[in-house]
Amino acid sequence: MQSISGSITGSHPITEERPRLRLLSSIDGGLILSALLLAAIGLATVHSASSEMPVDYFPRQAGWVAIGLVLLVISMSIDYHVLLDLSVVLYGLGIVSLIGVLAFGVVHGGAANWLKIGAFQFQPSEFAKIATGLFLARYLASLNNRVLELRQILTAVVIVGVPMVLVAIEPDMGGAGMYAPLLVGMLLVAGIRVRLLVTSILLGIVLVTGVWTFGLKGYQRQRVLTYLAPETDPLGAGYQVRQSKIAVGSGELLGKGYMQGTQSQLRFLPARHTDFILSVLAEEWGFLGVATVLGLFALYISSAARIAIRARDRAGILLVVGLISITCFHVLYNSAMVVGFTPITGIPLPFLSYGGSFTMINFISLGIILGVDIRRYVNR
């Protein structure tokens, strides 16, 4: 009788496990598989790129990936509505950390964009992007308008503009530019009139002109000029572009083989384990290797887009769109940078490039996106 009554009241272990099994079975396989494969390819390529360097960065990157996987599980386990409720606090902490960088930042690559706490260093601009995305998603989701009004758009611009300006002051123009796709992606989904979009583009052109005239350092202007005419500085700022093009072109269809690339193994290619890791992969695995990696990114982005479409609420849609907009722009810009289509601005490749802060943020973003997906059944 006890077993019968237990089954009637729903205390049977099988019935208790059903919600958990339903959540686990709802995890998007394409998204998680593509991310894990990209991370594995990144580890192998980081090892190859740094094998002839004084330090082999593979063990460090493996550690960051392991930490990232833990953060993935944690961020997926937390209800994204809780994160949205905390977004004001997280956004405030992000702003404070960016201000701290300006006062106490550690210089890397000409920009004071790192904070050091003991032996640990991290890049606040990466974490501030997540906090900004959460805060912006919360704000836009609270609006009932089908099409945003001008004051609402301006409020969204201010939310993103504050951390963006702080990062630009470091100066890290590449990192600052990565906030733009977050804003644009969310605004397009939230609803914006065409004339306002055109006006924004015109204002953007004016802003870019002002930044070029008053905001860029001499070496940053040189990078842009070198991008337009790399032959004018073949041994200076144009060296990276030339060596990257040689690496990509020499890979041809099938590549030279793992750890057989001359540009990387003979140390001709700078920043080969970070910003130019795709050049190393192209030289070693050729066009097919690059096509495979880009195909995995396409699977990642398309899977995340499907999650946004089937999200249970407006906040979830906006949050996922903002996060994948950042990832998509990183992939597009980095891919174009290594072949000389865009200026060199220090934009790494998600899941592949070496870097602790960047790797952790990639996995946290993935966890948040998966968290949005597995909660689409709640209250339905």
Side-chain angles (χ1 to χ4, degrees):
M1 290 298 293
Q2 292 179 351
S3 62
I4 295 176
S5 61
S7 62
I8 293 175
T9 57
S11 61
H12 197 283
I14 295 178
T15 58
E16 292 177 354
E17 289 296 325
R18 284 177 181 173
R20 297 180 184 177
L21 293 174
R22 187 180 185 186
L23 289 178
L24 292 176
S25 64
S26 67
I27 293 178
D28 192 291
L31 185 69
I32 191 69
L33 177 63
S34 58
L36 294 178
L37 288 176
L38 286 168
I41 294 172
L43 285 173
T45 311
V46 165
H47 173 60
S48 175
S50 61
S51 61
E52 296 298 325
M53 298 173 66
V55 176
D56 185 351
Y57 287 95
F58 171 79
R60 297 184 186 182
Q61 185 65 5
W64 291 126
V65 170
I67 295 173
L69 290 173
V70 174
L71 294 174
L72 161 65
V73 175
I74 294 174
S75 56
M76 183 176 64
S77 303
I78 300 173
D79 191 329
Y80 66 96
H81 295 100
V82 175
L83 295 176
L84 292 171
D85 291 338
L86 296 172
S87 62
V88 178
V89 176
L90 296 175
Y91 180 78
L93 291 175
I95 297 300
V96 170
S97 66
L98 291 177
I99 295 174
V101 167
L102 299 179
F104 312 105
V106 178
V107 177
H108 285 283
N113 53 3
W114 294 78
L115 277 180
K116 185 175 182 179
I117 302 176
F120 178 69
Q121 293 186 18
F122 69 100
Q123 201 169 3
S125 60
E126 296 295 339
F127 294 94
K129 277 190 292 190
I130 297 290
T132 303
L134 288 166
F135 187 32
L136 184 59
R138 173 181 174 174
Y139 170 71
L140 294 176
S142 67
L143 304 176
N144 295 322
N145 305 44
R146 185 174 181 181
V147 178
L148 298 178
E149 299 176 1
L150 180 59
R151 61 180 179 81
Q152 296 169 337
I153 296 174
L154 292 177
T155 301
V157 170
V158 170
I159 291 173
V160 177
V162 172
M164 187 175 182
V165 170
L166 289 174
V167 174
I169 294 174
E170 292 176 1
D172 182 7
M173 300 306 295
M178 291 301 103
Y179 284 80
L182 172 70
L183 174 65
V184 173
M186 286 196 185
L187 286 180
L188 289 176
V189 172
I192 183 172
R193 291 185 177 89
V194 175
R195 72 171 183 271
L196 289 179
L197 184 60
V198 173
T199 302
S200 300
I201 293 173
L202 294 176
L203 289 176
I205 294 174
V206 173
L207 179 62
V208 168
T209 303
V211 170
W212 172 265
T213 306
F214 304 105
L216 292 183
K217 304 285 187 179
Y219 75 91
Q220 292 172 325
R221 292 196 192 97
Q222 184 60 46
R223 284 183 175 181
V224 178
L225 295 174
T226 302
Y227 154 69
L228 297 174
E231 66 279 357
T232 60
D233 190 13
L235 298 179
Y239 179 79
Q240 288 179 306
V241 178
R242 293 180 67 251
Q243 298 304 320
S244 178
K245 287 183 177 180
I246 292 172
V248 173
S250 63
E252 298 183 343
L253 181 62
L254 299 177
K256 298 177 179 178
Y258 184 57
M259 300 184 69
Q260 301 300 313
T262 55
Q263 294 300 110
S264 58
Q265 300 303 314
L266 298 180
R267 307 183 186 182
F268 291 119
L269 182 64
R272 51 191 174 273
H273 64 302
T274 54
D275 302 339
F276 287 91
I277 195 166
L278 189 63
S279 303
V280 177
L281 189 140
E283 186 179 27
E284 294 182 349
W285 299 106
F287 174 80
L288 292 182
V290 174
T292 300
V293 167
L294 294 181
L296 289 173
F297 276 121
L299 175 60
Y300 181 92
I301 293 169
S302 61
S303 298
R306 286 196 301 270
I307 290 175
I309 292 173
R310 63 183 181 233
R312 63 182 287 244
D313 55 20
R314 181 180 173 88
I317 295 172
L318 290 167
L319 183 55
V320 174
V321 167
L323 294 177
I324 62 175
S325 295
I326 296 174
T327 300
C328 187
F329 196 79
H330 265 275
V331 174
L332 291 175
Y333 196 99
N334 183 274
S335 302
M337 183 180 70
V338 300
V339 293
F341 286 171
T342 55
I344 299 172
T345 54
I347 303 301
L349 193 61
F351 295 107
L352 270 79
S353 293
Y354 170 81
S357 299
F358 186 61
T359 299
M360 288 189 289
I361 285 302
N362 288 328
F363 280 104
I364 290 174
S365 298
L366 173 59
I368 293 174
I369 293 172
L370 289 172
V372 171
D373 196 34
I374 64 177
R375 288 171 180 83
R376 68 185 186 272
Y377 296 116
V378 178
N379 295 332
R380 285 191 174 182

